[in-house]
């Protein structure tokens, strides 16, 4: 069974530029998550989708971050404009249900200069 | 609101020694509890989970954890550390109902010396 796929693995941009990350979850997983992991900290949930709908985006900085999940499968996370403090690993995860057993991708490491 | 506290950002053990990583949780409703492991430059991998069945949970790679409601704890243990256990370990909590998000602790880096 293929795992959660993310791209790109690494991205370096200058502040005020924009960036987009892509995620393809495990086939059949209805729930998709984007987490932000800053160095030395645990992952922090940015947004949770259930199929096409948003379940929780309370910690998403909506003035600069946006995310969508078209047709209930792939998802993209966009940051525009980026700030220095956005430097982090962006982890995508998916799950069959809502009991917390998440399957994670390898992450996309963003460096903002 | 739910939260997790992991005591100790770094834990060092010798190969063959007991591993003990501490986790305390806070939840207003019965929780589900998880331990995830993260190797360098990789995503998180589930080690084990507690979902209100047996309080002693066995996971992969010889790890186990015990849910203690009276102490609000879910500490991770392994009798004998191996060099390959060196990684970062995250405790996480979610509520055992509805669409509950998973909240992670700050992580504990396990260092294993020969």
């Amino acid at each position: 069974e293929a795992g959660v796929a993310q791209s790109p693995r690494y991205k370096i941009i200058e502040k005020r530029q924009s960036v987009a990350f892509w995620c393809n979850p495990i086939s059949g997983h209805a729930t998709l998550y984007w987490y932000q992991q800053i160095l030395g900290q645990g992952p922090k949930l940015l947004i949770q989708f259930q199929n096409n709908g948003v379940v929780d985006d309370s910690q998403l900085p909506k003035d600069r971050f946006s995310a969508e999940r078209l047709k209930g499968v792939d998802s993209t996370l966009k940051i525009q404009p980026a700030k220095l403090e956005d430097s982090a690993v962006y982890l995508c995860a998916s799950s069959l249900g809502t009991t917390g057993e998440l399957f994670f991708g390898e992450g996309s490491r963003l460096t903002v200069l | 609101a739910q939260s997790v506290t992991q005591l100790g950002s770094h834990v060092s053990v010798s190969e063959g020694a007991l591993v003990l990583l501490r986790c305390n949780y806070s939840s207003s409703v019965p929780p589900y509890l998880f331990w995830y492991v993260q190797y360098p430059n990789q995503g998180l991998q589930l080690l084990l989970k507690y979902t209100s069945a047996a309080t002693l949970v066995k996971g992969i790679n010889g790890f186990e954890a015990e849910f203690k409601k009276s102490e609000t704890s879910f500490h991770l243990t392994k009798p004998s550390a191996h060099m390959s256990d060196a990684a970062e370990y995250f405790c996480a909590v979610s509520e055992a109902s509805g669409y509950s998000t998973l909240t992670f602790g700050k992580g504990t880096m396990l260092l294993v010396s020969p």
Side-chain angles (χ1 to χ4, degrees), chain B residues 57-96:
Chain B
V57 180
K58 295 186 183 299
I60 62 172
N61 301 337
F63 285 93
E64 62 181 37
E66 186 173 9
F67 171 67
K68 292 186 176 181
K69 183 177 179 181
S70 60
E71 298 178 8
T72 61
S73 68
F74 191 58
H75 302 329
L76 182 70
T77 60
K78 182 174 180 177
S80 176
H82 192 271
M83 295 295 289
S84 61
D85 294 328
E88 190 153 26
Y89 292 80
F90 293 93
C91 184
V93 62
S94 70
E95 295 179 358

Side-chain angles (χ1 to χ4, degrees), chain B residues 4-16:
Chain B
V4 166
T5 302
Q6 291 185 240
L7 293 176
S9 58
H10 292 79
V11 170
S12 295
V13 300
S14 299
E15 193 171 20

